[in-house]
Amino acid sequence: MSLPPEKASELKQLIHQQLSKMDVHGRIREILAETIREELAPDQQHLSTEDLIKALRRRGIIDDVMKELNFVTDSVEQELPSSPKQPICFDRQSTLKKVPNIDPTRRYLYLQVLGGKAFLEHLQEPEPLPGQVCSTFTLCLHYRNQRFRSKPVACACEPDFHDGFLLEVHRESLGDGTRMADSTTMLSISDPIHMVLIKTDIFGETTLVASYFLEWRSVLGSENGVTSLTVELMGVGTESKVSVGILNIKLEMYPPLNQTLSQEVVNTQLALERQKTAEKERLFLVYAKQWWREYLQIRPSHNSRLVKIFAQDENGINRPVCSYVKPLRAGRLLDTPRQAARFVNVLGYERAPVIGGGGKQEQWCTLLAFLCRNKGDCEDHANLLCSLLLGYGLEAFVCVGTKAKGVPHAWVMTFLIYKIFFRYIHKPTNPDEPPVAEQPKPLYPYRTIGCVFNHQMFLGNCQPSDAVETCVFDLNDESKWKPMSEEAIKSVCAPGATTSLPPFPPLCASTIDASVTSNEIEMQLRLLVSEHRKDLGLTTVWEDQLSYLLSPALASYEFERTTSISAGNEEFQDAIRRAVPDGHTFKGFPIHFVYRNARRAFATCLRSPFCEEIICCRGDQVRLAVRVRVFTYPESACAVWIMFACKYRSVL
């Protein structure tokens, strides 16, 4: 098979680059000179091509070249996140030598997950039958702006994980981004591999099982740059001290290391990093205690305010709250701050599970755990939104306080042209004005505020009252807001300040096909409505044209949720008037969900008397319609809009 001219030229260039890298020309010249000196008889004037090829083959030059020029045509499935890197995920049949598109000038870490064991919670689960829907495990990884996701495997005591992930190990500072990292350079790269294990049940609900930070640099001191590890995964939240299972992992450097470090050097480096991190955290703790004592001396009542300096992550580790926020750029996945706010809004809301009573269990998730699970508590939403708004260049803060009935809550505040904005514009009430003076009525649900923070600042509210409606948000006024030292915060929360800070992952594009998913949910809802009416002894006649006319309304609803601007309502109303004959009545019921389970959505709709009236409509010439519109966002989050409608002849 002949190649096109441009492909042939590209292939020649690649071969030339590889030969130059191996210094083949220099080696040939040396062998040529040696052969002429040792083997050429005095009466011979020149060396034949065959003699030269024999000499090259005898010295192994040709074999070396053919090993380096390893051409493959096997295709390998790749996972494409939003980051500029394109990590490669292998299936169990793939081998490292069959991977195309690997830059030979870059260094890679090949991580293989070779099965799991001792997942005792699933000890009694029977092996699923072929085609049977069952709960699954999915392993999610993040390393230096690269994200990976394993194939789902059935939940079992020994889950059948067999996946490989190719992680590029690079250093993007000091002009080293284009050079292959050597052992010493890689030893200074302290970023761990963050591994998150997610369980998905048969209804599509996700649960965070484990979150683990893998220290991979032990491979630098292993023979041939290959090592095998046994990783014990611990539970999350209240179960962070309980083992949930074990993963067998193999690490391999590619290309193989020319020179490995001694294990003693590696261990010394890791110990020094841990010691440095522990000292920084100790000094910050000493400072935080002193700051808190000073804060309490202002007013004894400050002891009851929600001033949150530290928060526990999913592994039960206390970290400064400022470390949960960092400017985060969404690339081309989100265009505006309002779109970012809508994306965070459609991520599911779920409190950390509590065994028994006793109120709310605190758990601030790391960003990867929150994104992989696609749901979290109010603090997780607030941290992500604040990070995105900071990425857009806005002055944003996470607020910690209470809402109605004194329930602890977290939300985001931004300053927009001297306005304090948290979806509602804040207009402070002046408590010193006479009672007859008209005061602005608060539209927001927030009641008290104890502190605000972002990645650089932490301020405690030291005003006489912590009520939001009377609060003055002049953060530069130290008589109203007591600040922490920005240098102290930077020492433990700045990127790279300590090795205990988990790096922020990039957002990934949605894998959901909005049109296909919309059609699937709509067909399922039609079937559910027809069965429900059949049980009531009613026939069902669908009108496709009326269903189609509902689409603009659903698009308008989502546009309004994103931009706070209402548009397209007049066109929708005019179209419905034309579609409904004189003497007929039209009824419609829109509803919004953040999940794609049609049966669950239908059960929720039936709890609304108005929706039930439409679905169970009786009368003359009843025509039913349903329209579903799925709007996709990063991380496969989605807003699902459903509208049920009917028209019928009014009979008095």
Side-chain angles (χ1 to χ4, degrees):
M1 184 179 70
S2 61
L3 289 172
E6 62 273 13
K7 289 291 184 183
S9 175
E10 182 181 355
L11 183 60
K12 288 178 182 178
Q13 185 179 2
L14 289 172
I15 294 174
H16 177 73
Q17 290 175 354
Q18 190 65 25
L19 293 178
S20 299
K21 178 187 171 187
M22 298 173 61
D23 195 23
V24 170
H25 299 92
R27 295 168 69 182
I28 290 176
R29 280 194 293 270
E30 292 175 6
I31 292 171
L32 178 60
E34 182 181 338
T35 304
I36 291 175
R37 187 171 59 252
E38 296 178 0
E39 300 180 13
L40 193 61
D43 57 333
Q44 285 184 279
Q45 299 298 318
H46 66 276
L47 191 68
S48 68
T49 305
E50 289 185 8
D51 292 333
L52 179 58
I53 291 176
K54 287 180 181 178
L56 294 175
R57 182 169 286 138
R58 193 163 56 245
R59 286 163 175 79
I61 301 297
I62 293 178
D63 291 338
D64 290 345
V65 171
M66 296 308 295
K67 285 179 182 177
E68 287 292 325
L69 300 177
N70 183 20
F71 300 105
V72 294
T73 58
D74 294 2
S75 62
V76 179
E77 180 183 353
Q78 296 192 14
E79 180 186 0
L80 302 176
S82 63
S83 63
K85 305 297 177 189
Q86 295 188 356
I88 302 173
C89 175
F90 306 92
D91 57 29
R92 71 183 67 186
Q93 284 79 26
S94 300
T95 63
L96 199 56
K97 294 182 180 179
K98 292 185 178 181
V99 180
N101 302 326
I102 291 182
D103 186 347
T105 66
R106 307 288 273 182
R107 182 75 69 186
Y108 297 91
L109 175 66
Y110 183 41
L111 185 152
Q112 298 179 72
V113 184
L114 304 175
K117 57 185 178 181
F119 285 78
L120 301 180
E121 186 176 340
H122 304 277
L123 185 62
Q124 303 297 328
E125 288 195 13
E127 188 171 338
L129 299 173
Q132 180 183 355
V133 178
C134 62
S135 300
T136 59
F137 283 138
T138 305
L139 191 63
C140 305
L141 278 73
H142 168 236
Y143 177 71
R144 293 179 71 81
N145 223 35
Q146 305 162 77
R147 287 182 59 185
F148 308 82
R149 181 182 290 265
S150 73
K151 298 184 297 294
V153 300
C155 292
C157 184
E158 296 185 358
D160 189 26
F161 285 111
H162 279 89
D163 283 283
F165 309 97
L166 197 66
L167 289 68
E168 185 176 331
V169 184
H170 54 90
R171 188 177 180 86
E172 296 179 339
S173 61
L174 305 176
D176 292 337
T178 58
R179 295 208 313 237
M180 180 183 290
D182 57 17
S183 300
T184 306
T185 301
M186 289 188 290
L187 186 60
S188 66
I189 300 176
S190 60
D191 292 346
I193 301 170
H194 192 184
M195 307 170 65
V196 170
L197 184 63
I198 300 294
K199 177 183 176 180
T200 307
D201 66 17
I202 59 176
F203 304 106
E205 291 296 311
T206 56
T207 306
L208 177 62
V209 178
S211 175
Y212 184 84
F213 293 94
L214 176 66
E215 177 51 72
W216 58 274
R217 286 176 289 175
S218 60
V219 72
L220 301 177
S222 303
E223 187 178 356
N224 301 322
V226 180
T227 187
S228 296
L229 305 171
T230 300
V231 171
E232 183 179 17
L233 301 179
M234 310 302 285
V236 296
T238 55
E239 301 176 25
S240 59
K241 306 299 182 185
V242 180
S243 174
V244 296
I246 294 172
L247 293 179
N248 296 319
I249 290 176
K250 182 180 179 182
L251 300 176
E252 179 179 358
M253 298 306 305
Y254 178 82
L257 295 173
N258 295 326
Q259 181 180 6
T260 59
L261 304 173
S262 71
Q263 198 64 52
E264 184 181 358
V265 170
V266 175
N267 293 338
T268 301
Q269 173 70 16
L270 300 182
L272 286 174
E273 289 178 1
R274 285 193 295 267
Q275 182 180 353
K276 185 179 177 182
T277 295
E279 180 62 15
K280 286 185 176 182
E281 291 176 344
R282 186 190 69 80
L283 291 175
F284 181 77
L285 179 60
V286 170
Y287 169 76
K289 287 181 176 179
Q290 176 62 29
W291 184 94
W292 178 246
R293 282 194 295 268
E294 294 172 358
Y295 182 72
L296 292 181
Q297 288 173 5
I298 299 173
R299 265 182 217 92
S301 61
H302 285 180
N303 192 40
S304 61
R305 295 189 180 182
L306 281 177
V307 179
K308 195 87 181 149
I309 303 174
F310 296 91
Q312 283 191 355
D313 65 11
E314 65 267 22
N315 291 324
I317 298 173
N318 276 310
R319 297 201 283 118
V321 292
C322 296
S323 68
Y324 290 89
V325 175
K326 172 190 169 185
L328 180 64
R329 291 164 56 177
R332 300 187 184 277
L333 300 179
L334 298 167
D335 296 322
T336 66
R338 289 181 181 267
Q339 198 175 14
R342 180 59 177 155
F343 156 60
V344 176
N345 181 252
V346 299
L347 291 171
Y349 176 81
E350 181 183 78
R351 288 186 173 183
V354 181
I355 300 176
K360 178 182 175 182
Q361 166 68 29
E362 181 188 75
Q363 179 179 302
W364 291 31
C365 283
T366 56
L367 183 56
L368 183 67
F370 177 39
L371 294 176
C372 293
R373 190 172 50 146
N374 256 171
K375 57 186 176 183
D377 212 334
C378 58
E379 294 88 358
D380 303 322
H381 289 78
N383 291 333
L384 174 57
L385 178 56
C386 185
S387 298
L388 289 168
L389 296 182
L390 289 169
Y392 283 109
L394 298 179
E395 188 179 8
F397 295 86
V398 175
C399 305
V400 179
T402 63
K403 54 182 182 179
K405 299 182 180 178
V407 177
H409 192 60
W411 65 95
V412 176
M413 169 182 72
T414 58
F415 290 84
L416 301 177
I417 317 176
Y418 304 108
K419 290 182 179 178
I420 297 91
F421 177 81
F422 24 74
R423 203 174 78 175
Y424 315 90
I425 294 177
H426 178 261
K427 296 179 181 178
T429 301
N430 187 351
D432 297 328
E433 287 190 352
V436 294
E438 185 176 354
Q439 298 282 6
K441 293 184 178 179
L443 302 174
Y444 41 80
Y446 317 121
R447 293 293 175 262
T448 66
I449 181 167
C451 64
V452 299
F453 67 88
N454 60 18
H455 64 302
Q456 294 176 329
M457 301 173 65
F458 182 95
L459 302 107
N461 183 4
C462 54
Q463 299 172 57
S465 171
D466 61 351
V468 175
E469 60 183 355
T470 61
C471 188
V472 176
F473 286 92
D474 181 4
L475 302 185
N476 295 317
D477 187 346
E478 294 192 12
S479 67
K480 294 180 172 60
W481 294 92
K482 179 174 173 57
M484 269 194 171
S485 164
E486 292 189 24
E487 286 300 317
I489 294 172
K490 187 177 180 181
S491 70
V492 290
C493 296
T498 65
T499 56
S500 62
L501 288 182
F504 272 44
L507 298 181
C508 281
S510 177
T511 59
I512 298 173
D513 187 318
S515 299
V516 171
T517 307
S518 299
N519 286 334
E520 289 177 351
I521 298 175
E522 191 170 307
M523 291 301 103
Q524 293 174 31
L525 287 175
R526 282 197 176 198
L527 182 61
L528 291 169
V529 170
S530 298
E531 291 178 347
H532 185 75
R533 288 177 61 84
K534 184 179 179 181
D535 292 340
L536 298 175
L538 302 172
T539 58
T540 305
V541 180
W542 296 100
E543 186 171 315
D544 292 339
Q545 177 61 15
L546 184 59
S547 296
Y548 181 73
L549 295 182
L550 304 179
S551 294
L554 301 182
S556 176
Y557 298 150
E558 182 61 21
F559 181 77
E560 184 175 357
R561 288 287 181 98
T562 304
T563 64
S564 301
I565 299 172
S566 179
N569 193 41
E570 297 82 1
E571 294 91 335
F572 170 66
Q573 291 181 358
D574 186 62
I576 294 299
R577 287 193 196 99
R578 292 174 177 274
V580 178
D582 290 340
H584 284 64
T585 299
F586 171 85
K587 291 182 180 180
F589 176 79
I591 192 168
H592 167 257
F593 300 99
V594 295
Y595 51 81
R596 305 187 302 277
N597 188 320
R599 189 172 294 275
R600 179 181 168 190
F602 182 66
T604 302
C605 292
L606 284 179
R607 288 199 287 270
S608 167
F610 194 77
C611 184
E612 186 185 24
E613 184 181 334
I614 293 173
I615 293 173
C616 305
C617 180
R618 300 172 182 265
D620 187 21
Q621 299 181 24
V622 175
R623 298 293 182 268
L624 294 175
V626 62
R627 193 65 171 174
V628 176
R629 181 72 167 86
V630 175
F631 298 88
T632 59
Y633 289 91
E635 300 297 328
S636 298
C638 61
V640 180
W641 282 96
I642 301 172
M643 180 180 274
F644 291 98
C646 69
K647 67 176 184 180
Y648 58 93
R649 173 184 260 174
S650 302
V651 179
L652 298 177

